[in-house]
Amino acid sequence: MCKGLAALPHTCLERAKEIKTKLGTLLQKPDSAIDFIIPYSEKPEKPAKAVKPSPEEVLQWRDSLEKLLQNPYGLASFRSFLCSEFSEENVEFWVACEDYKKTKSPVKMEEKAKRIYEEFIQTEAPKEVNIDHFTKAVTMKNLVEPSPSSFDMAQKRIFALMEKDSLPRFVRSEFYQELIK
């Protein structure tokens, strides 16, 4: 399930979750079916095609998590690897923070901040990332008035954790070894 979902664009995931929620409600209350219309866009969004990088480019990823995460194929490969280890929450948090920083609308920024907090930061969150209490406290304080930098400290901690822990495991993995052939 993880590999398939990771390949979908974020909006498709949201649409799938919305459909699942509405279907669940319909199953519980069949007499209110008229109230629910499942949204379906006539032109589904196509995910960006990731071009397979050259072995030389892949070799650069050993020394630069930043280069790995900036490459769509590298990000997808890294995400699949972490998924296979049941530890994809860190890269998902990093990606969510990158998306959050690009948000211009204060209303959307507040919505995304709440979603990121509830999914990754709060205690017992579904995909809780491993950050220290100080970083969590600073992040919570930053969320009183969300700004593009609200998650910077937590994102830097998670980046450092992936760089120190996940990247070396990825480089030793079959996922990576297949890419440098």
Side-chain angles (χ1 to χ4, degrees), residues 8-15 17 96 99 112 115 119:
L8 290 173
H10 190 64
T11 55
C12 288
L13 285 174
E14 289 171 342
R15 189 171 297 126
K17 287 178 184 175
D99 176 62
K112 286 182 179 184
R115 188 171 63 235
E119 190 171 351

Side-chain angles (χ1 to χ4, degrees), residues 105-154:
S105 161
V107 172
K108 286 204 182 286
M109 184 172 283
E110 195 167 322
E111 290 170 4
K112 286 182 179 184
K114 183 178 189 286
R115 188 171 63 235
I116 291 170
Y117 174 77
E118 290 174 352
E119 190 171 351
F120 300 103
I121 304 291
Q122 79 180 6
T123 304
E124 302 295 322
K127 297 178 182 178
E128 186 177 2
V129 291
N130 187 9
I131 54 173
D132 58 88
H133 292 290
F134 176 75
T135 302
K136 188 179 276 195
V138 168
T139 302
M140 288 170 58
K141 185 178 177 189
N142 290 344
L143 294 177
V144 172
E145 290 185 38
S147 74
S149 62
S150 293
F151 293 100
D152 282 0
M153 180 183 274

Side-chain angles (χ1 to χ4, degrees), residues 33-47:
I34 197 87
D35 297 336
F36 294 97
I37 298 171
I38 297 173
Y40 180 77
S41 114
E42 290 183 25
K43 291 185 178 179
E45 294 178 26
K46 293 182 181 177

Side-chain angles (χ1 to χ4, degrees), residues 34-178:
I34 197 87
D35 297 336
F36 294 97
I37 298 171
I38 297 173
Y40 180 77
S41 114
E42 290 183 25
K43 291 185 178 179
E45 294 178 26
K46 293 182 181 177
K49 288 190 176 181
V51 179
K52 186 173 180 180
S54 67
E56 292 77 25
E57 187 175 356
V58 173
L59 285 170
Q60 293 178 4
W61 298 345
R62 290 184 303 193
D63 304 316
S64 175
L65 179 60
E66 192 170 335
K67 285 183 181 178
L68 169 68
L69 296 174
Q70 288 174 350
N71 181 295
Y73 201 95
L75 176 59
S77 298
F78 189 56
R79 194 179 236 162
S80 293
F81 166 72
L82 292 174
C83 221
S84 75
E85 292 194 328
F86 305 101
S87 63
E88 67 275 8
E89 67 280 348
N90 288 340
V91 73
E92 288 181 10
F93 172 70
W94 186 88
V95 168
C97 290
E98 288 298 295
D99 176 62
Y100 171 81
K101 288 191 271 190
K102 295 173 189 168
T103 306
K104 302 289 184 223
S105 161
V107 172
K108 286 204 182 286
M109 184 172 283
E110 195 167 322
E111 290 170 4
K112 286 182 179 184
K114 183 178 189 286
R115 188 171 63 235
I116 291 170
Y117 174 77
E118 290 174 352
E119 190 171 351
F120 300 103
I121 304 291
Q122 79 180 6
T123 304
E124 302 295 322
K127 297 178 182 178
E128 186 177 2
V129 291
N130 187 9
I131 54 173
D132 58 88
H133 292 290
F134 176 75
T135 302
K136 188 179 276 195
V138 168
T139 302
M140 288 170 58
K141 185 178 177 189
N142 290 344
L143 294 177
V144 172
E145 290 185 38
S147 74
S149 62
S150 293
F151 293 100
D152 282 0
M153 180 183 274
Q155 188 182 20
K156 286 176 184 166
R157 296 274 197 270
I158 294 303
F159 183 90
L161 183 65
M162 289 191 300
E163 194 169 45
K164 186 181 117 202
D165 185 45
S166 305
L167 181 61
R169 287 196 324 273
F170 174 67
V171 168
R172 291 188 302 267
S173 75
E174 285 184 34
F175 285 87
Y176 183 81
Q177 297 305 315
E178 287 296 316

